[in-house]
Amino acid sequence: MSKIKKNLSDAEMFKGWQEEPTFETELEEEPVRRPVTSARKEPADDINSAYFTPELKEAVGKALLELKLTMYKAGTVDYQIKVSCQGNQVLLTAIPAKVKAEQPGKQPGQRGGKQRG
């Protein structure tokens, strides 16, 4: 090993030395590519909703909200929607949910525990 010379300039100290390129020091050689967006819409996530356009979704949503309000005004809160197809029509029918039969011997609204009397 040789002695280190004193009073050298920076250029003289780094003479013959070359830095190895790394990801930190190397410039990007390839330009950044932007993702290509197509004019075609992406396929629907579910085949069952593939035919619903945004306008159709809005129309069906408004009709279902109107049905819900009508059922509520009639006093029916729990109901199911039955879907059926007749010819060229798809029908959504609201059917009230079945009420569980009450157990004999109990009065509605009565809880267990001490009875007031």
Side-chain angles (χ1 to χ4, degrees):
M1 199 172 196
S2 64
K3 280 189 155 186
I4 299 174
K5 297 180 183 177
K6 295 184 179 183
N7 300 328
L8 293 176
S9 67
D10 291 342
E12 291 173 345
M13 282 192 279
F14 288 106
K15 187 177 181 182
W17 182 79
Q18 186 174 3
E19 182 178 10
E20 294 179 17
T22 63
F23 72 94
E24 296 172 329
T25 60
E26 195 173 303
L27 296 176
E28 293 182 19
E29 294 179 6
E30 295 182 21
V32 177
R33 296 180 185 172
R34 294 184 181 169
V36 178
T37 57
S38 62
R40 190 174 151 207
K41 294 182 181 178
E42 293 182 19
D45 294 336
D46 184 14
I47 190 68
N48 296 328
S49 63
Y51 300 105
F52 281 96
T53 62
E55 295 82 17
L56 184 59
K57 285 181 185 179
E58 184 177 347
V60 171
K62 285 181 180 180
L64 288 173
L65 178 61
E66 185 178 334
L67 174 67
K68 184 174 185 171
L69 291 173
T70 304
M71 296 291 288
Y72 181 76
K73 288 177 184 176
T76 306
V77 179
D78 294 328
Y79 62 93
Q80 297 175 346
I81 296 178
K82 180 183 173 190
V83 181
S84 60
C85 187
Q86 294 179 356
N88 291 337
Q89 295 179 341
V90 176
L91 300 173
L92 301 175
T93 309
I95 301 172
K98 296 180 182 177
V99 179
K100 294 180 182 178
E102 294 183 24
Q103 296 177 357
K106 284 194 173 181
Q107 296 176 0
Q110 183 179 4
R111 296 183 183 179
K114 293 184 181 179
Q115 292 184 355
R116 296 182 185 175

